[in-house]
Amino acid sequence: MDIIKLNAQPRQETGKGAARSLRRAGRIPAVLYGADIESRPLSVSIQELERMFNNPQFTRGLINLAVENSGNRRQTVMIKEFQRDPVKDHYLHIDFYEIKMDQKISVMVPVTTTGTSNGVEEGGILQIIRRELEVYCLPANIPEQIEIDITPLEMGDSVHVSEVPLPENVEIPYEVDFTILTVVSPKMEEPEEEVLEEEGLEEGAEGAADEGEETESGDEAEE
């Protein structure tokens, strides 16, 4: 599998002033960390990042990162956190997480649909509840997308996570058989009771996770 390449440079100075200087020079602060390595402050070229994001190869989110003055060693990483200015849309900071190609990881993969639902042709509305799904697999097996054929769905039909077709050696970890998408009547103003219950459970779980999570993005803490 081809993995897109990205170059980085070690970063010595930290803080708001150093971050602003980097951005004026066409670079942004970055941090590299992982389970078996110490956190390293880096910087990357904004121009290189833009080329990477626009590259069709960048579908699975895997990057071969080469840090200057590290010999020819490249580390396979994924983007763990990426921050942009919501007003000016400028790049602010990026975190890379080192992964091992022989160890399974959990990643989010987009959900796409194919076909035209019978229920939609009869006037129903396709309601996509989960636009991304968490999958667990080796990095080389990460699918570009999870594709669901909606052709046989009638009005009121739903697709649950247990019914999602998966590529070989890919699994979706779940405890509740939640709804991925459903075809509802145009007269319905609110989601089905089942969907509301699931969304409530999801929000509760996310809230608990947010309370316990600490962001360790070096420069954002400094800024």
Side-chain angles (χ1 to χ4, degrees), residues 208-215:
D210 290 341
E211 291 177 3
E213 183 178 357
E214 294 185 2
T215 302

Side-chain angles (χ1 to χ4, degrees), residues 16-183:
K16 294 181 180 180
R20 284 195 291 266
S21 295
L22 276 175
R23 294 178 190 123
R24 285 195 294 268
R27 305 182 69 81
I28 62 167
V31 172
L32 169 64
Y33 62 98
D36 302 322
I37 62 173
E38 292 185 3
S39 176
R40 295 185 62 185
L42 306 172
S43 74
V44 293
S45 162
I46 294 173
Q47 189 176 41
E48 277 198 55
L49 276 179
E50 290 176 338
R51 281 201 299 264
M52 181 184 74
F53 290 139
N54 292 326
N55 192 321
Q57 280 185 286
F58 191 64
T59 53
R60 294 180 173 86
L62 300 181
I63 303 165
N64 269 339
L65 187 69
V67 180
E68 191 176 278
N69 300 325
S70 297
N72 296 323
R73 180 171 179 257
R74 286 187 175 270
Q75 295 162 273
T76 304
V77 303
M78 298 187 73
I79 295 174
K80 197 69 172 179
E81 185 176 354
F82 182 47
Q83 299 171 358
R84 302 179 74 156
D85 186 309
V87 177
K88 299 179 180 179
D89 200 33
H90 293 167
Y91 297 150
L92 296 177
H93 190 277
I94 189 166
D95 285 1
F96 299 108
Y97 185 81
E98 185 183 45
I99 61 174
K100 307 294 185 184
M101 295 302 289
D102 59 349
Q103 295 179 6
K104 290 185 176 183
I105 58 174
S106 295
V107 294
M108 301 302 293
V109 175
V111 172
T112 62
T113 61
T114 60
T116 302
S117 163
N118 295 331
V120 170
E121 289 187 329
E122 294 172 1
I125 298 172
L126 177 65
Q127 189 175 73
I128 302 178
I129 300 163
R130 299 289 186 102
R131 296 189 178 275
E132 287 186 320
L133 290 174
E134 181 184 16
V135 302
Y136 185 64
C137 61
L138 291 172
N141 294 333
I142 298 173
E144 296 182 12
Q145 57 194 18
I146 300 294
E147 196 172 87
I148 301 175
D149 182 11
I150 62 171
T151 303
L153 296 185
E154 304 289 346
M155 195 91 69
D157 286 348
S158 300
V159 175
H160 293 78
V161 65
S162 61
E163 303 168 303
V164 173
L166 294 173
E168 188 176 357
N169 300 319
V170 175
E171 58 183 296
I172 298 177
Y174 65 91
E175 296 181 359
V176 178
D177 193 16
F178 53 81
T179 303
I180 306 299
L181 53 84
T182 184
V183 178

